[in-house]
Amino acid sequence: ESWSLSPEEFEIWDRLYRIKESDGIKEPVLPRVQFETLEKLEETPFPLQKPEEGAARELSLSEWSVWQNQPLPTSLVDHSDRCHLFIGAMEMMELMRHQQGDCSYEQELQPHLRMEDVN
Amino acid sequence: QRLKAAVHYTVGCLCQEVEEDKDVQFSKQSIAAISEITFRQ
Amino acid sequence: AGGFRKDTVDRLLRLHFRDGRTRVSADAQLLMAELLKVFVREAAARAARQAQAEDLNKVDIEQLEKVLPQLLLDF
């Protein structure tokens, strides 16, 4: 079919890119995230066969979270607004993590607190 | 699976261009990872 | 230059359609192919930059994982 690889392309894929047993490496897969608050966002369009245990290398989105408090270099596509929000939040968490004693953020917000708004 | 292979093959070609451009080497696993991410996008 | 074949893109899109009769115009297919190409190039370039920042000339999964959260938020 026109959307699929031609025999020679298939041969190249198989030789250069396909992850094989002999490589001793595992197929990388993106974890299926489940949002507590939102309902099941990502209905799997097709029954993805769950990689049998140990055969897949789950890509982690949190392993390097301490690196996320700075905008990392981009190439042709700049960081989006929501990405800057994310970086800001990671930066605040980092600051809070290093605070001893009571939290300066709380003190900063305290003057704006009006209990009548809360009840 | 054939569709995944088609995406994987194209990702490999595009990575090869970046390799020449940036003078780096992509590991097989990193190309497969970019392909998996693209597929899920 | 390499890139996604529009028939491949058409097939990818149709995976996610509920109604099998839905069609994608040629322009939409080309635009989607271009978007995917930009995405792959950006992912590869940022992972390569990360490897260079670590004085490595080999890009592995770890460099990709470091740039992944911000990359996914940028697309």
Side-chain angles (χ1 to χ4, degrees), chain B residues 3 7 9 12 17 23-24 26 28 32 41:
Chain B
L3 187 55
V7 168
Y9 173 80
E17 286 175 29
D23 192 24
V24 290
F26 283 90
K28 217 174 176 183
Q41 279 290 62

Side-chain angles (χ1 to χ4, degrees), chain B residues 10 17 22 25 27 30 41, chain C residues 2-3 41 52 57 59-60:
Chain B
T10 306
E17 286 175 29
K22 298 252 175 189
Q25 261 260 316
S27 74
S30 63
Q41 279 290 62
Chain C
R41 279 216 173 108
Q52 285 164 343
N57 66 353
V59 182
D60 209 348

Side-chain angles (χ1 to χ4, degrees), chain A residues 5-17, chain B residues 9:
Chain A
L5 291 180
S6 65
E8 51 276 356
E9 286 172 336
F10 184 86
E11 191 280 324
I12 294 172
W13 169 72
D14 185 59
R15 182 163 38 88
L16 290 182
Y17 306 126
Chain B
Y9 173 80

